[in-house]
Amino acid sequence: AQKVTQAQTEISVVEKEDVTLDCVYETRDTTYYLFWYKQPPSGELVFLIRRNSFDEQNEISGRYSWNFQKSTSSFNFTITASQVVDSAVYFCALSEAGNQFYFGTGTSLTVIP
Amino acid sequence: DTGVSQDPRHKITKRGQNVTFRCDPISEHNRLYWYRQTLGQGPEFLTYFQNEAQLEKSRLLSDRFSAERPKGSFSTLEIQRTEQGDSAMYLCASSVPKGLAPHNEQFFGPGTRLTVL
């Protein structure tokens, strides 16, 4: 079973639209960490955010916001007023209390000008 | 500092040959990770080091894969007797611990693309 599920394989939006990328995770640990990374066409993964399992407060950073809900094991990512530069593959990842790391299969976002 | 570097960027080899990739992390980072990424998939965690200690290696894909970080600085990933299924992008990342979190923000290198003919 997948530890991290990103059900949306590809999404296309028109510039300035809001878009939400879904992430559902599975773990039995009470302590864990969730991440989002961006992989632009250039290829290098870029860190966006890390949250721990004890902090369910939603976070906003500019046009980016994250909604962490333990009750539904979800950690969704919203981009407000999308821009062409947001076009990339976005990965959600899980780190459990052990030493392993699990990435989802990614959501490819295309922002159309 | 220019970030995480990996060498070579591309490697083409024939099936059955051994290959070795190098990763130079950001200088003050004591954690170093190796991942494999195939087309259309997320990075697949392989192993990680804290300084020279390899703390997790159960996810290495087979006994043909091995990694070292002898002096706690650069690391090498070796694949012996390569197979066509080993063709992928091999990514390296580094980080520093923050608080009690086992894993903090990772900085990724550009990757080494391996093609096994």
Side-chain angles (χ1 to χ4, degrees):
Chain A
Q2 283 281 357
K3 286 274 192 179
V4 178
T5 300
Q6 294 180 256
Q8 303 151 308
T9 305
E10 296 181 1
I11 299 176
S12 291
V13 297
V14 176
E15 201 170 20
K16 297 184 183 177
E17 286 185 349
D18 299 348
V19 58
T20 295
L21 309 182
D22 297 334
C23 173
V24 174
Y25 62 92
E26 179 186 333
T27 181
R28 293 181 180 178
D29 288 3
T30 55
T31 302
Y32 54 90
Y33 297 82
L34 297 163
F35 302 77
W36 276 95
Y37 281 84
K38 175 182 180 179
Q39 190 170 37
S42 59
E44 290 192 33
L45 282 140
V46 176
F47 168 85
L48 296 177
I49 190 172
R50 181 193 75 172
R51 300 309 299 264
N52 72 58
S53 53
F54 299 108
D55 182 4
E56 287 193 73
Q57 198 168 14
N58 291 330
E59 184 159 339
I60 299 174
S61 176
R63 295 184 298 108
Y64 295 170
S65 62
W66 290 270
N67 183 351
F68 176 30
Q69 291 196 344
K70 287 178 77 170
S71 60
T72 55
S73 297
S74 66
F75 186 44
N76 297 337
F77 173 32
T78 297
I79 302 173
T80 303
S82 59
Q83 299 177 1
V84 172
V85 293
D86 296 328
S87 297
V89 181
Y90 291 86
F91 292 98
C92 181
L94 165 71
S95 166
E96 296 172 319
N99 288 319
Q100 300 194 11
F101 224 91
Y102 304 91
F103 277 78
T105 51
T107 297
S108 177
L109 174 65
T110 301
V111 181
I112 303 165
Chain B
D1 189 282
T2 56
V4 178
S5 61
Q6 293 188 244
D7 183 68
R9 296 290 304 275
H10 303 273
K11 177 72 177 177
I12 300 174
T13 190
K14 292 183 178 179
R15 187 178 54 186
Q17 299 294 305
N18 299 342
V19 295
T20 300
F21 309 140
R22 176 179 171 124
C23 171
D24 286 88
I26 294 172
S27 59
E28 65 269 23
H29 287 189
N30 61 1
R31 290 189 177 167
L32 186 149
Y33 304 76
W34 284 101
Y35 294 84
R36 181 178 79 163
Q37 187 175 24
T38 53
L39 197 62
Q41 299 296 313
E44 181 181 10
F45 173 82
L46 298 179
T47 187
Y48 100 96
F49 295 84
Q50 179 156 312
N51 300 311
E52 64 274 12
Q54 191 173 13
L55 297 187
E56 175 56 58
K57 57 181 179 179
S58 66
R59 301 272 296 279
L60 284 168
L61 299 163
S62 76
D63 59 6
R64 297 185 296 107
F65 287 72
S66 62
E68 293 185 341
R69 195 182 183 197
K71 297 182 180 178
S73 57
F74 73 91
S75 175
T76 58
L77 177 70
E78 181 182 15
I79 308 174
Q80 296 183 329
R81 304 180 303 280
T82 52
E83 301 172 358
Q84 288 183 323
D86 297 332
S87 295
M89 179 75 84
Y90 290 84
L91 301 171
C92 176
S94 69
S95 74
V96 288
K98 183 176 181 180
L100 299 177
H103 300 292
N104 192 25
E105 170 186 358
Q106 295 179 27
F107 293 81
F108 281 81
T112 294
R113 182 169 295 285
L114 172 66
T115 302
V116 181
L117 302 176

